[in-house]
Amino acid sequence: IKESTFNGCSSLNELVFNSNMNILEENCFRGVSCPIIFKESCNFSKVENFDIYKNIPVQIEFLKDVSFPEGSIIGSGAMRKTIIHGDLFISTDIPDGLNINYYFHGAFGGCKAPRVYLSKTVSYIGSGAFTGGEIEELYIEDLYHWLSVTSRNAIYPDNITESAKKIFIEGVEAVDIVIPDGITKIGSGAFMGIKSLRTVKSNGTIE
């Protein structure tokens, strides 16, 4: 859906898409106040940033899975306040040449999803990416990778772990964690808000 496709279509009662979408450009729904429904799974290569403070549709709803594969672009506020009934898969890294200030900040703020999967290819998540979100289960693919990127400040897990009711790391619920060999620093917010944690053990020196 190209930029400003439905901009200003304030009389619409409903927008329903029955096929896979892979691009939502900036302001494509600006000024629309009706429900927007995507009935099929969406494998996005680009969702550009929307106005995250105003002109947000009453409801954007995805009835099936939503995926952001490697190389895809997630703009600031891109999926804000969406409802996802299927799984949300995030595998993207920052594409070459993309302005980091444009990328991912507040992208899933207020988003509701039953399951979110973070691949080990993800190396940056903007501030407030999941602020106010409601996630039933968050799956972090690789603990070593997660701790490595947080320690380099390449990832800002602001409210990601805090927004999920259950956290799974490498397929196991985050209850007893052993810090992998080679990790010497744990970055800001790496385990923020994980209420299930009982023990964290390390055999090395941690900063």
Side-chain angles (χ1 to χ4, degrees):
I1 301 177
K2 295 295 185 179
E3 181 177 355
S4 299
T5 297
F6 296 100
N7 192 340
C9 296
S10 57
S11 296
L12 280 169
N13 293 318
E14 188 178 53
L15 269 174
V16 179
F17 299 97
N18 293 310
S19 59
N20 171 45
M21 293 288 171
N22 62 3
I23 294 177
L24 298 178
E25 292 190 349
E26 190 168 5
N27 295 322
C28 59
F29 300 127
R30 187 184 180 99
V32 174
S33 57
C34 69
I36 300 170
I37 300 172
F38 296 85
K39 288 192 171 182
E40 296 299 324
S41 298
C42 292
N43 189 38
F44 286 115
S45 61
K46 178 172 67 174
V47 178
E48 293 186 332
N49 50 328
F50 296 110
D51 186 331
I52 64 174
Y53 299 108
K54 57 184 178 180
N55 298 315
I56 298 297
V58 172
Q59 179 176 305
I60 300 180
E61 193 168 358
F62 294 87
L63 301 187
K64 295 185 179 180
D65 296 347
V66 174
S67 301
F68 289 90
E70 292 184 54
S72 57
I73 295 173
I74 308 175
S76 297
M79 301 287 286
R80 187 174 185 263
K81 294 184 178 179
T82 56
I83 299 172
I84 301 172
H85 294 276
D87 296 336
L88 172 59
F89 299 92
I90 303 174
S91 300
T92 185
D93 197 350
I94 300 177
D96 292 340
L98 187 69
N99 185 341
I100 198 170
N101 294 320
Y102 166 93
Y103 190 76
F104 220 140
H105 298 289
F108 299 94
C111 179
K112 297 180 181 180
R115 288 166 297 275
V116 176
Y117 293 84
L118 288 180
S119 167
K120 62 183 178 182
T121 58
V122 175
S123 64
Y124 177 85
I125 294 179
S127 62
F130 285 85
T131 297
E134 297 180 24
I135 303 165
E136 295 296 321
E137 298 175 355
L138 171 66
Y139 291 82
I140 297 171
E141 183 179 10
D142 186 87
L143 178 59
Y144 185 94
H145 173 79
W146 178 256
L147 296 178
S148 295
V149 293
T150 59
S151 69
R152 295 197 307 268
N153 292 323
I155 188 168
Y156 299 88
D158 182 21
N159 291 352
I160 298 173
T161 52
E162 194 175 40
S163 295
K165 293 180 180 179
K166 288 187 177 182
I167 313 292
F168 295 83
I169 299 176
E170 298 181 2
V172 179
E173 187 171 3
V175 176
D176 303 302
I177 288 178
V178 178
I179 304 299
D181 292 340
I183 294 294
T184 59
K185 183 178 180 181
I186 298 177
S188 175
F191 299 117
M192 180 178 175
I194 303 181
K195 296 179 175 61
S196 61
L197 267 182
R198 295 186 308 196
T199 64
V200 178
K201 297 180 181 179
S202 173
N203 296 319
T205 301
I206 301 294
E207 295 182 21

